[in-house]
Amino acid sequence: MSRIDKLKDFLAADPNDSFTRYAIGLEYGKDENYPKAIRALEELRELDPEYVPLYYMLAGYYREMGDLKNAEATYREGITKAREANDLHALSELEAALDEL
């Protein structure tokens, strides 16, 4: 059984687990399956828009796909969410990534 299959089993047991949804997106990203990674993280954003880590990775996957418009918008949204959550580490990473874009 693959890691993604195991994570999907975990998600089936607890569909509201944001970390598991995030981990599924990362696994697809590791496999360079960016469309599936984006889809997984977009689903997470719809279900839990306050889950700050998703923004950095989602924007990066958009960037890998050459979709700089969505990458920029996602970094900016993540910056807003990180400020609201007072997550200074994520804020710093998101700002640096946006500057590099």
Side-chain angles (χ1 to χ4, degrees):
M1 178 180 274
S2 73
R3 289 174 64 120
I4 290 175
D5 290 334
K6 288 179 188 176
L7 289 166
K8 286 181 178 180
D9 285 347
F10 291 148
L11 189 60
D14 184 1
N16 296 316
D17 184 0
S18 295
F19 178 77
T20 299
R21 287 186 184 278
Y22 177 71
I24 290 170
L26 295 184
E27 285 298 315
Y28 282 127
K30 277 192 223 173
D31 292 341
E32 296 183 6
N33 189 337
Y34 301 122
K36 283 189 175 184
I38 288 169
R39 191 172 22 248
L41 294 179
E42 284 291 2
E43 287 175 10
L44 174 55
R45 180 160 61 173
E46 284 182 32
L47 295 169
D48 188 1
E50 306 308 313
Y51 194 80
V52 174
L54 81 90
Y55 293 95
Y56 181 86
M57 297 307 295
L58 178 57
Y61 296 146
Y62 277 126
R63 192 174 178 173
E64 289 291 334
M65 295 290 296
D67 187 346
L68 301 184
K69 181 179 176 183
N70 271 323
E72 179 182 354
T74 303
Y75 282 134
R76 291 188 186 284
E77 184 178 352
I79 287 167
T80 299
K81 296 293 184 182
R83 276 195 186 112
E84 290 171 358
N86 199 30
D87 186 338
L88 301 181
H89 179 73
L91 177 61
S92 171
E93 288 183 335
L94 287 159
E95 288 175 334
L98 179 59
D99 287 345
E100 288 177 16
L101 188 64

